[in-house]
Amino acid sequence: MKVLVVGGAGYIGSHMVKLLLRAGHVVVTLDSLVTGYRDAVVGGEFVQCDLADRAGLDEVFKQHAFDGVMHFASFIQVGESVLKPDLYYRNNFCNTLNLLDAMVAHGVKRFIFSSTAAVFGEPDYVPIDEAHPAHPINPYGISKWMVEQALADYDKAYGLKAICLRYFNAAGADPEGELGERHDPETHLIPLVLQAASGRRPEIAVFGRDYDTPDGTCIRDYVHVMDLCQAHLQALAALAAGGKSDAFNLGNGNGFSVQEVIDAARRVSGRNISVKDATRRSGDPARLVANSERAKSVLGWKPEFADLDVIVEHAWNWEIKMNANPQVEG
Ligand code: UFG
């Protein structure tokens, strides 16, 4: 198939481009390079274009007959979304409508959307399945939920079939060491802990030890970036086989606390890691764990790298590479 990967120069999108090429698909990457890296796109055609540029999008759709579109491009910082909601609603919602409208105008009917566990807000229960109500609590989560709702209406009106994949905590790196996470600023736990292990940071701050969890630190469901990409391949295949629009929660169903992640990082790296206790970060639920049974039964998804130490090991290999080549950090 010929696939347009929007945001293919970013963390998850770049892994997706690699997996699609390996699976024999033809890939065109579209990225504004506002947060992505051109050198993270390992093959296929590359187009630099912002989703705000509707004419630029039309040009790309005129030049290629796509079988499907995967959309990874978005702003992802929860805290920033509270301070600058306009950025999040415009980029994550309005600009996504530009992409959907271009698809409708050019007759492209298959869409895979990077959604998030943040659409659920403070959970009513865990593990969180797809029946759990969506009640996002910040503009980031709301912007993603708005797209999910718009997609349901685009299906009814225009027959655009979409699968929304709600990632829990995307983590890890390309097992071959070619790609990894390069956020600037970095806010995610695993890369930050590993930067503390490699010496790029002096320490890791633990945001709260007074949660209602066994060791008092927050519990998250870390899911390997390549397993997320594998789910996209299966979602696209499901739509190509005539499947209906749907949404799936993607995680391993195992929760690990912040302290357990730090312990895993010490084990994997063999380094000492300085830890500083800090106050809670606002908006952090105590526990977010996915129930991904539907992705398994409907899509046939089977995570290959579910072990936390393996996820941390792949991220550590990338951190070592970044530390040795700081010029590629951007
Ligand atoms: N944490 C620390 N210290 C740090 C960074 C994080 O203790 O320096 C803690 C956080 O408080 C949280 C856990 O580590 O309890 C994980 O934090 P991350 O920032 O790595 O991930 P989040 O769970 O906050 O965020 C993820 C995605 C978001 C998404 C959110 C909710 O990265 O995009 O899940 O689904 F919105």
Side-chain angles (χ1 to χ4, degrees), residues 62 111 145 165 177 215 225 238 251 287:
K62 249 186 245 159
F111 189 68
W145 179 233
L165 298 175
D215 66 20
V225 60
R287 228 173 141 228

Side-chain angles (χ1 to χ4, degrees), residues 76-78 116-119 138 140-141 167-170 187-193 204-208 211 217-220 222 258 262 280-281 284-286 288:
I76 58 163
Q77 291 178 47
V78 171
T116 170
V119 300
N138 50 61
Y140 167 71
Y167 313 155
F168 280 61
N169 286 62
T187 60
H188 294 119
L189 178 65
I190 290 180
L192 288 176
V193 172
I204 181 73
V206 174
F207 296 148
Y211 285 95
T217 65
C218 285
I219 290 175
R220 294 288 180 273
Y222 297 91
V258 171
I262 295 170
R280 288 184 178 202
R281 188 173 68 177
D284 273 343
L288 284 175

Side-chain angles (χ1 to χ4, degrees), residues 31-58:
D31 200 296
S32 67
L33 298 182
V34 168
T35 56
Y37 298 87
R38 177 65 184 86
D39 66 8
V41 183
V42 296
E45 190 176 325
F46 178 79
V47 180
Q48 184 171 356
C49 177
D50 196 293
L51 290 182
D53 177 5
R54 177 61 205 279
L57 284 176
D58 276 329

Side-chain angles (χ1 to χ4, degrees), residues 153-187:
D153 292 333
Y154 272 59
D155 185 357
K156 280 184 216 134
Y158 309 120
L160 191 151
K161 301 292 168 201
I163 292 188
C164 300
L165 298 175
R166 300 167 182 148
Y167 313 155
F168 280 61
N169 286 62
D174 173 20
E176 291 168 1
E178 194 180 7
L179 299 167
E181 197 165 358
R182 276 195 261 174
H183 291 124
D184 184 18
E186 187 54 76
T187 60

